[in-house]
Amino acid sequence: MSRWQPDPAGRLTKAAITLFAEQGYEATTVAEIAARAGLTKRTFFRYFSDKREVLFSGSAELERVWLDGVAAAPAGATPLGAVIAGLGPVAEMFTERHHFAGVRAGIIQANSELRERELIKLQNLAASIEAMLLSRGYSANAAVLAAQAGVTVFHVAFARWVHQDDPTAFRRLINESLQELRSVTAG
Amino acid sequence: MSRWQPDPAGRLTKAAITLFAEQGYEATTVAEIAARAGLTKRTFFRYFSDKREVLFSGSAELERVWLDGVAAAPAGATPLGAVIAGLGPVAEMFTERHHFAGVRAGIIQANSELRERELIKLQNLAASIEAMLLSRGYSANAAVLAAQAGVTVFHVAFARWVHQDDPTAFRRLINESLQELRSVTAG
DNA sequence: TACGGTGATGGCACCAAGTGACATACCGTC
DNA sequence: GACGGTATGTCACTTGGTGCCATCACCGTA
């Protein structure tokens, strides 16, 4: 029996999602997750700073893809235009993960601690986007609001996307949310 | 020495804020807060569901005042117009509490757990506002986005308000944030 | 004054999250 | 086959949070 099995973080994540889906987040202990992955509680906390974080390791990839997309937007774009343009690659990335995203979203929605963590991830994302917009030369005020508005559009569209069947609908839902935000703020 | 001193929740809140400001949130234990208020850890958790909640008991009042303000908006108002109109009474309410709000905001900003709790309070607020907008007859799509946009405007304005000197500037900052959101989403 | 009922508080045992210190196993290299 | 670095395990400990029951203060009543 080898102590050194490959991809410990991946095994822990898989074990955690299985157990959370089966018996709920609160009813699952870290020791249980670790045991299922053939590891110990102490090792779990070497890979994830806390119990919730095991569900959010993917947020780094979301941030990277989105920021790259914003950076690649045409120079003449409006600030919100650049943020929304960055969601193109994001929508592609999520298309293949519709089922997983649904399972994960179900787990998160069922627990308030996990919803808190999701919100702060989105807020950190907004802060990164804001910094990116500043580096593109937009004003500080425009950067704050465009980043917040963009994250709101993403959040609303994402919630709708996981609750319906077509995995390829994400881009359309983003455009719809954007138009709704525009019509609500117009005037 | 009477066991029954008045306003236990208020004493716990005051003790908590003092200790958090002095030595930080993490370095303060619940037992310490309770002892300072002349109570025990067990009693603390009878008044607050967890350690963070001691800083957020005021959010119920914010929600009540804001919702009442939305309900009192003229019938012909746009959804976002009604939400922003509801911020009038909110701005009045906060004006007298500028110093306290600043101390509290400093504590919250210094700790990521507390920022998480603040974000979910805002999100719950948005959900309540959304329900209120639905009851006023707006469409579901408009209600979601107007509630989100209104909370974003409040959040941005609040953050600016606690970082400057004039306690009466809240209403002006709300209007500025709203205009910035409008100009960012225009087009 | 005595009495009993009600509700708030204290005390205790307990579980789970999270951390620090140290021991131990694996892996490559020489 | 010895060696050093890195990942893992073990153990002890603190703290947040909860269930259970005892205890105390208050209040009405006789």
Side-chain angles (χ1 to χ4, degrees):
Chain A
M1 202 54 179
S2 70
R3 200 174 181 178
W4 255 238
Q5 292 178 32
D7 191 17
R11 278 152 50 211
L12 287 167
T13 302
K14 199 170 176 180
I17 289 181
T18 305
L19 290 169
F20 293 164
E22 279 175 4
Q23 60 191 27
Y25 173 80
E26 285 194 33
T28 304
T29 69
V30 171
E32 206 174 347
I33 299 169
R36 188 171 183 118
L39 295 166
T40 62
K41 175 183 145 189
R42 193 64 185 86
T43 299
F44 177 97
F45 288 110
R46 289 196 178 96
Y47 286 95
F48 303 102
S49 57
D50 59 41
K51 185 184 172 187
R52 307 172 211 173
E53 201 61 21
V54 72
L55 284 174
F56 294 92
S57 59
S59 68
E61 188 183 359
L62 168 60
E63 172 163 337
R64 188 175 46 71
V65 171
W66 196 346
L67 285 178
D68 287 355
V70 175
T78 65
L80 184 56
V83 173
I84 299 296
L87 281 174
V90 170
E92 284 183 31
M93 172 181 105
F94 275 116
T95 299
E96 323 162 336
R97 310 188 191 174
H98 186 254
H99 177 70
F100 172 81
V103 174
R104 179 179 167 280
I107 295 170
I108 291 173
Q109 282 315 111
N111 181 273
S112 139
E113 292 182 29
L114 294 173
R115 290 199 304 273
E116 288 187 349
R117 180 56 53 86
E118 175 154 72
L119 291 173
I120 206 173
K121 291 287 181 184
L122 288 174
Q123 201 62 24
N124 292 340
L125 198 49
S128 297
I129 292 171
E130 181 187 339
M132 169 65 74
L133 292 176
L134 285 177
S135 80
R136 285 176 58 103
Y138 301 112
S139 77
N141 288 347
V144 174
L145 271 302
Q148 289 291 335
V151 166
T152 296
V153 166
F154 168 77
H155 192 189
V156 170
F158 185 84
R160 291 173 178 175
W161 175 68
V162 297
H163 282 98
Q164 52 94 63
D165 291 331
D166 180 9
T168 70
F170 200 5
R171 195 187 291 261
R172 176 176 58 77
L173 292 166
I174 289 169
N175 287 330
E176 288 177 8
S177 304
L178 176 60
Q179 288 314 314
E180 289 165 23
L181 176 62
R182 285 198 161 127
S183 87
V184 147
T185 56
Chain B
M1 203 52 178
S2 69
R3 199 177 181 176
W4 255 234
Q5 291 178 32
D7 192 18
R11 278 151 52 211
L12 286 167
T13 303
K14 200 169 174 180
I17 289 182
T18 305
L19 289 168
F20 292 165
E22 279 175 3
Q23 59 192 26
Y25 173 79
E26 285 194 34
T28 304
T29 70
V30 171
E32 206 175 348
I33 299 169
R36 187 171 184 121
L39 296 166
T40 63
K41 174 184 147 188
R42 193 64 189 85
T43 299
F44 178 97
F45 287 112
R46 288 198 180 94
Y47 286 95
F48 303 102
S49 56
D50 60 40
K51 184 183 172 188
R52 307 173 212 174
E53 202 61 20
V54 72
L55 284 174
F56 293 91
S57 58
S59 67
E61 189 184 358
L62 168 61
E63 173 163 334
R64 187 175 45 72
V65 172
W66 196 347
L67 285 179
D68 287 353
V70 175
T78 64
L80 183 56
V83 174
I84 298 296
L87 281 174
V90 171
E92 284 182 32
M93 173 182 104
F94 275 115
T95 300
E96 325 163 334
R97 311 186 190 176
H98 187 254
H99 177 70
F100 172 81
V103 173
R104 179 177 167 282
I107 294 170
I108 291 172
Q109 283 313 113
N111 182 274
S112 139
E113 292 182 28
L114 294 174
R115 289 199 304 272
E116 289 186 349
R117 179 56 53 87
E118 174 152 73
L119 290 173
I120 205 171
K121 291 288 181 184
L122 288 174
Q123 201 62 24
N124 292 340
L125 198 48
S128 298
I129 292 172
E130 181 187 338
M132 168 66 74
L133 293 177
L134 286 177
S135 80
R136 285 177 57 104
Y138 301 111
S139 77
N141 287 348
V144 175
L145 271 302
Q148 289 290 334
V151 167
T152 297
V153 166
F154 169 78
H155 193 188
V156 169
F158 186 83
R160 292 173 178 175
W161 175 67
V162 296
H163 282 99
Q164 50 95 63
D165 290 331
D166 180 10
T168 70
F170 200 5
R171 196 187 289 262
R172 177 177 57 78
L173 291 165
I174 288 169
N175 287 330
E176 287 177 9
S177 304
L178 175 60
Q179 287 314 314
E180 288 164 24
L181 176 61
R182 285 198 161 127
S183 88
V184 148
T185 55

